[in-house]
Amino acid sequence: DNYVRSMKGATLANYTEFVGFVKDGDGKCVGAKLRDTIEGTEFTVKAKSIVNCTGPFADRVRALDNPKATPRIVPSRGIHIAIPHKYTDKGLGVLIPKTSDNRVMFILPYRGYTLAGTTDHKCNVKSAPVAPESDIKEVVDELGKYFSGDIRGECMSAWCGIRPLVLADPNKPSTMTLGDRIRKLLGKGPSKVSTKTLTRNHEVEVTPSGLVSLMGGKWTSYRRMGQDTVDAVLKNNPKIKANKPSITRDIRLIGGYTSKTLDGTEKDIHEYTGVYRLFLHEKYGLAPDVAGHLVEMYGTNAASVAALGAKSSMNERIHEHVPIIKAHVLCVDTVSYTHLTLPTICSV
């Protein structure tokens, strides 16, 4: 029951840009205008319900539905850097519970390197954000309090993401902080926004046109976010009937581990990964580091990649010094819908 593309009847369209809504005479959303960003063509899709799950871009979509909609998203920039494995050579992570600006920082072993981050700053929304030098320096300076050496000089890469933090709805006191509720009663505006103090919770909004927007949230609560969103769709569109209760809680992650391994015996996660690596080595002749890399990347789906490579004669390395085989690149392109060079490189 692992998730794969088109599972549960979904039809996916990558590299597709949302252009605008199609509305009926009553102003209800009944479709979407889309653009193929590779070919440049536009097309329309009919819909009984439209869900806006666009992260930091949520306000842009909401404005296309209602130009007077109050902005709710506060984008927050966070970066991570990759430094040598020696900083976590014991295989253990480090938590800095309070940085100089009252954040939390993680230092974790990651695929033969050490991952450190993150920052938290208000920013503008971009499709491809880049980690600014000031943020990199911020992380390096914090690390310098606990580790010696030229950390900046050892920094091998840095990347940036944008958190879609959500502001409280001024029309719903239950979503506001106590301080802002008091300020509203006194006729004052909300307090100054700080990304570090904004909640990481999510909110589902339904507009008079029927647009359902999921805003805020975080990776650790994505199942509840999905369930709440689908519940809102069903509640506000009686024409859509659910044939059974939500199953999101019990759907395993892609390649998710189960306690029964290839031979049907019960094993813990460490035994399981060891058995799976050995299986890939014996059945497909993969080197131990290659087999280990596939298991880390694909979990129980690693055998599918190796089988694809065996069928296509692509189980050889792309370079002698990295544990990535040609089938890995092929799988990213055909299964993950990357197609373009940069996303493919980032995915392997």
Side-chain angles (χ1 to χ4, degrees):
D1 61 349
N2 281 0
Y3 179 83
V4 293
R5 67 180 186 184
S6 303
M7 175 182 166
K8 310 302 181 187
T11 298
L12 310 180
N14 207 2
Y15 303 108
T16 303
E17 178 184 6
F18 176 81
V19 178
F21 293 95
V22 176
K23 296 186 177 182
D24 63 15
D26 297 323
K28 299 293 185 181
C29 294
V30 294
K33 300 174 184 177
L34 307 174
R35 178 185 296 120
D36 181 330
T37 59
I38 295 179
E39 300 294 336
T41 57
E42 294 190 6
F43 57 100
T44 298
V45 175
K46 296 180 180 179
K48 294 180 180 177
S49 182
I50 297 179
V51 180
N52 171 20
C53 294
T54 54
F57 299 94
D59 278 343
R60 295 187 185 180
V61 176
R62 294 173 65 244
L64 290 174
D65 174 52
N66 176 14
K68 296 182 179 180
T70 302
R72 299 289 306 283
I73 298 297
V74 179
S76 167
R77 182 182 66 238
I79 74 150
H80 288 87
I81 64 172
I83 52 180
H85 175 62
K86 66 181 182 180
Y87 292 100
T88 51
D89 60 354
K90 303 297 183 183
L92 300 175
V94 178
L95 168 67
I96 301 176
K98 188 176 182 180
T99 62
S100 57
D101 63 344
N102 297 315
R103 290 179 293 102
V104 172
M105 182 173 288
F106 295 92
I107 307 164
L108 303 170
Y110 178 69
R111 294 174 62 180
Y113 301 94
T114 295
L115 187 68
T118 178
T119 52
D120 192 347
H121 298 293
K122 288 178 67 176
C123 64
N124 295 321
V125 177
K126 298 179 180 180
S127 297
V130 176
E133 183 61 37
S134 58
D135 281 37
I136 296 174
K137 183 178 185 301
E138 196 174 319
V139 174
V140 169
D141 288 348
E142 287 294 336
L143 295 177
K145 298 176 183 178
Y146 303 91
F147 301 98
S148 59
D150 180 17
I151 299 175
R152 181 64 185 92
E154 295 177 317
C155 182
M156 292 170 283
S157 64
W159 60 98
C160 178
I162 299 178
R163 305 178 190 88
L165 305 181
V166 61
L167 282 171
D169 185 343
N171 299 315
K172 295 181 179 179
S174 61
T175 68
M176 302 169 65
T177 64
L178 177 61
D180 281 347
R181 274 182 274 175
I182 294 175
R183 292 177 65 85
K184 184 176 182 179
L185 289 173
L186 296 175
K188 299 180 179 180
S191 55
K192 186 178 180 180
V193 174
S194 168
T195 58
K196 289 184 282 292
T197 60
L198 281 176
T199 178
R200 267 57 176 172
N201 293 338
H202 65 277
E203 182 178 336
V204 179
E205 173 191 76
V206 182
T207 66
S209 70
L211 174 65
V212 178
S213 292
L214 172 62
M215 299 176 287
K218 50 190 176 181
W219 282 116
T220 51
S221 58
Y222 79 93
R223 293 181 189 270
R224 170 57 67 179
M225 293 164 64
Q227 183 171 333
D228 289 350
T229 303
V230 173
D231 286 347
V233 170
L234 295 174
K235 179 180 178 181
N236 290 276
N237 195 329
K239 294 181 180 179
I240 303 177
K241 303 293 183 181
N243 56 17
K244 57 184 174 181
S246 172
I247 61 172
T248 184
R249 186 182 65 180
D250 300 315
I251 294 180
R252 290 186 289 122
L253 295 174
I254 302 173
Y257 161 79
T258 60
S259 58
K260 288 187 178 181
T261 70
L262 297 168
D263 58 4
T265 59
E266 300 281 336
K267 297 182 183 295
D268 66 24
I269 185 64
H270 299 292
E271 289 181 293
Y272 179 84
T273 53
V275 169
Y276 213 72
R277 289 172 182 171
L278 181 61
F279 166 76
L280 294 175
H281 171 67
E282 293 179 345
K283 183 173 178 64
Y284 298 102
L286 300 179
D289 62 330
V290 172
H293 178 74
L294 283 181
V295 172
E296 286 183 8
M297 293 295 295
Y298 288 94
T300 55
N301 286 350
S304 299
V305 182
L308 178 65
K311 181 180 179 180
S312 309
S313 299
M314 298 183 70
N315 273 347
E316 60 186 74
R317 297 172 186 261
I318 61 173
H319 190 279
E320 61 180 322
H321 296 309
V322 295
I324 300 173
I325 56 177
K326 293 180 179 179
H328 191 165
V329 180
L330 178 63
C331 185
V332 167
D333 182 63
T334 58
V335 177
S336 301
Y337 286 169
T338 54
H339 300 317
L340 300 182
T341 302
L342 183 58
T344 299
I345 293 174
C346 292
S347 297
V348 298

